[in-house]
C-alpha cells in the first residue's frame, strides 16, 4: 500500500473537476473560491492537496443546487479520462482490467481522501465486486452523490481499459431511494440498482475483468505505480492556513521572489494582514523566511557543487560571508564542513 496517503486532503486534480462542475451548475465563484486551497497557484498543478473540507463544501453547494443524482452524473461526465492524472492510467496500463482496478484501489489517495474514503475488491462465485466505503449518514446528500460518482467513475475507467462499454451485474448504494433514478441507470449501465444498502458497490462478471489487454506493455503498470508513489510522497497537503502560507512562501522562493508583498499578494491579503495572521499562529515573517532559506541552502550545499557565493545569491543572502554566518548559526558547521559531513543536522 502507498506509504504517503495524506488523510484529510484530496489532490488538486479532483478539486479542479469539482470547481468546473460547480461552475456548470451556475454556483457563483465567490461561494467557494475563498476556501483554503482554492487559489490559482494551488490548483494550477498537481503538487498540492486541497483540504477535504474544501471539496465537501463544494459538493454541498452542488447538491443544494441540483439533485444528488444529477450532481454525480455531472461529475462523472466532467471527469474525462486523464483529468485525474496517473490514477486514471493505472486502469489501462495493467495486463487485465482487474489488475488495473487493484492498482487504482491501492493508490486511491491519488484521487480521494483516504481518511474517509476506502475501496475494496472481492472475488466470489465468478463475480468481482468493488465496494466504496464512506461512513456518512444515508440522508447526507453530498455523500450520496460522492458514492454514486465513485461507482460511475470506476465503471467508466474499466470501460476505457476494455475499450468497450462495461455492463455490471448489479449495483448497490448506501443512499435513500430517489424518486427518479434514470440518471443512475445511465451512469451505472444497469437498472439493477439497490438502494439503502450498508455499502455502496458494483459487481461485474469476473470474465470481463480478467480479459487480457492485447496491447498492454510489459512493466508499464509497475512504472506507473512507482510514479503514483512518488507523486504522493512529493505532494504538499494544505491542512490549514499556516500550511498554505508555507507552501506559498516556498513557491515564491523557488521563483526568486520571496518578499513579503509577493507572498501577501499570492494569498490575496495585505502585507499587514499577513503579518497579523502569522502572529496569530505564533510565528513571524522573518522566522518563516529563514526556515525556507535554511532548507534551500542545506539542500544546495549537500546536493550541488555550487559555490557558497552562488548559493548565497540564489537563496537571497547579501553575500557569501552572510551565508556562512547563517549556516554556522543553524548547524554549528561551516558550509565546507557541512558538505563533508552529510549527517550534520541543519537547525
Amino acid at each position: 500500500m502507498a506509504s504517503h496517503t495524506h488523510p484529510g486532503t484530496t489532490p488538486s486534480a479532483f478539486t479542479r473537476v469539482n470547481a468546473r462542475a460547480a461552475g456548470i451548475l451556475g454556483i457563483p465563484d465567490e461561494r467557494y473560491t475563498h476556501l483554503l486551497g482554492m487559489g490559482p497557484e494551488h490548483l494550477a498543478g498537481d503538487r498540492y492537496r486541497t483540504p477535504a473540507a474544501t471539496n465537501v463544501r463544494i459538493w454541498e453547494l452542488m447538491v443544494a443546487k441540483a439533485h444528488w443524482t444529477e450532481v454525480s452524473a455531472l461529475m462523472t461526465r466532467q471527469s474525462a479520462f486523464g483529468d485525474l492524472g496517473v490514477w486514471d492510467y493505472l486502469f489501462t496500463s495493467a495486463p487485465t482490467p482487474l489488475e488495473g482496478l487493484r492498482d487504482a484501489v491501492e493508490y486511491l489517495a491519488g484521487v480521494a481522501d483516504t481518511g474517509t474514503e476506502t475501496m475494496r475488491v472481492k472475488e466470489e462465485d465468478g463475480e468481482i465486486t468493488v465496494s466504496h466505503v464512506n461512513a456518512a449518514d444515508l440522508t447526507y446528500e453530498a455523500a450520496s452523490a460522492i458514492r454514486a460518482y465513485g461507482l460511475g467513475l470506476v465503471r467508466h475507467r474499466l470501460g476505457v481499459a476494455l475499450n468497450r462499454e462495461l455492463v455490471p451485474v448489479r449495483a448497490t448504494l448506501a443512499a435513500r431511494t430517489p424518486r427518479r433514478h434514470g440518471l443512475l441507470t445511465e451512469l451505472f449501465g444497469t437498472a439493477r440498482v439497490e438502494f439503502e444498502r450498508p455499502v455502496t458497490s458494483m459487481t461485474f462478471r469476473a470474465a470481463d475483468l480478467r480479459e487480457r489487454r492485447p496491447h498492454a506493455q510489459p512493466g508499464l503498470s509497475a512504472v506507473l505505480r512507482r510514479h503514483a508513489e512518488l507523486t504522493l510522497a512529493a505532494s504538499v497537503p494544505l491542512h490549514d492556513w499556516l500550511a498554505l502560507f508555507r507552501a506559498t512562501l516556498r513557491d515564491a522562493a523557488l521563483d526568486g521572489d520571496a518578499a513579503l508583498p509577493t507572498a501577501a499578494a499570492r494569498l490575496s491579503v495585505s502585507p499587514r494582514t499577513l503579518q497579523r495572521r502569522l502572529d496569530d499562529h505564533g510565528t513571524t515573517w522573518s522566522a518563516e523566511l529563514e526556515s525556507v532559506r535554511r532548507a534551500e541552502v542545506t539542500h544546495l550545499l549537500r546536493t550541488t557543487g555550487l559555490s557558497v557565493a552562488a548559493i548565497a545569491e540564489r537563496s537571497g543572502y547579501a553575500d557569501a560571508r552572510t551565508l556562512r554566518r547563517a549556516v554556522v548559526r543553524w548547524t554549528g558547521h561551516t558550509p565546507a564542513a557541512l558538505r563533508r559531513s552529510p549527517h550534520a543536522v541543519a537547525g
Side-chain angles (χ1 to χ4, degrees), residues 81 88-101 153-166 208-209 211-216:
F81 185 81
D88 282 344
Y89 294 97
L90 291 172
F91 283 94
T92 59
S93 63
T96 68
L98 176 58
E99 292 171 81
L101 173 62
L153 190 65
V154 166
R155 185 180 85 93
H156 177 267
R157 284 356 187 212
L158 288 171
V160 173
L162 285 166
N163 198 30
R164 62 178 171 82
E165 184 81 2
L166 181 61
D208 286 336
L209 298 195
E211 189 175 308
R212 299 197 69 81
R213 300 180 60 251
H215 303 296

Side-chain angles (χ1 to χ4, degrees), residues 6 25 43 45 57 59 75 92 132 164 200 208 229 235 247:
H6 303 303
L25 288 175
L43 289 180
R57 180 55 185 156
W59 281 78
M75 277 292 298
T92 59
H132 177 198
R164 62 178 171 82
T200 294
D208 286 336
E229 180 75 19
S235 61

